[in-house]
Amino acid sequence: MNSWLFLSLILAHVIGDFYLQNDKYCAQKEERKFKSWFLYVHSLIIGVVSWVVVPVYEFRFYALAIAFSHLVIDVIKTYSPKGLWNFVIDQVAHLAILIIVIFSFDTTTKLPIQSMDCNGSYSIPLFILALLLCIKPANILIKLVLKKYQVGETQSCENIKMQER
């Protein structure tokens, strides 16, 4: 397995799936399902970002496959019950596709991400990935986990008022 290809595609996925779409567009996908124009734009963005991080001519078909599979997975997700497991299964499905691509596409070309590495002492791309994962995806995951334990606002306000007396 080419670890640089893996890191490149994971970075592309995180950037495309979490940072290049906002809550408004996600809500539109949920509401309009496969009729949402953003669903198609989002999948195209995923494919383009994947090809940008792996700018090898032969990778264009793999980038299209990533975009198409992302579209299919996201359409299925819009018809699934919302919540933690929907999010986890969605991300695992996207990751599985990327792993299939990594084992299918063999490149000896030096990828752009490799030029960002600091001679093995530490990996700037890996640090960037860790940072990006800690900001938005972890936030979404924590919110979904804690949603089950969320206390109703009126109940907590009543408890505070009772304690003030």
Side-chain angles (χ1 to χ4, degrees):
M1 178 172 86
N2 185 330
S3 59
W4 289 112
L5 180 59
F6 180 70
L7 185 55
S8 297
L9 291 178
I10 294 294
L11 268 169
H13 174 74
V14 169
I15 290 167
D17 216 22
F18 294 101
Y19 292 94
L20 296 181
Q21 70 175 330
N22 61 30
D23 291 341
K24 176 183 168 188
Y25 294 135
C26 289
Q28 185 205 60
K29 287 192 312 186
E30 294 298 324
E31 179 184 319
R32 302 202 62 220
K33 313 258 185 249
F34 68 91
K35 294 178 184 176
S36 167
W37 62 270
F38 185 72
L39 184 65
Y40 302 96
V41 170
H42 173 65
S43 298
L44 183 62
I45 288 170
I46 294 292
V48 168
V49 173
S50 297
W51 199 13
V52 166
V53 299
V54 185
V56 177
Y57 182 72
E58 296 81 17
F59 191 74
R60 69 189 184 281
F61 296 115
Y62 292 92
L64 278 172
I66 290 169
F68 181 73
S69 67
H70 202 93
L71 175 67
V72 170
I73 292 167
D74 279 8
V75 166
I76 292 169
K77 182 182 177 187
T78 63
Y79 289 97
S80 303
K82 309 306 165 246
L84 175 63
W85 287 110
N86 188 0
F87 175 77
V88 170
I89 291 168
D90 171 67
Q91 293 307 309
V92 167
H94 291 311
L95 183 61
I97 296 297
L98 295 181
I99 289 171
I100 290 168
V101 168
I102 290 160
F103 281 107
S104 302
F105 183 73
D106 187 28
T107 183
T108 55
T109 305
K110 185 175 180 180
L111 299 175
I113 201 167
Q114 288 175 264
S115 61
M116 295 173 61
D117 199 39
C118 293
N119 300 327
S121 58
Y122 62 92
S123 175
I124 292 175
L126 193 56
F127 176 76
I128 291 170
L129 176 62
L131 189 63
L132 291 175
L133 285 171
C134 286
I135 297 172
K136 197 164 182 184
N139 180 0
I140 293 168
L141 185 61
I142 290 167
K143 186 165 61 170
L144 289 170
V145 167
L146 294 178
K147 190 174 189 174
K148 180 179 178 182
Y149 303 103
Q150 186 175 358
V151 178
E153 187 177 323
T154 56
Q155 183 182 8
S156 63
C157 288
E158 288 299 318
N159 289 343
I160 291 171
K161 289 177 186 176
M162 295 285 255
Q163 290 175 356
E164 288 176 353
R165 293 181 188 166

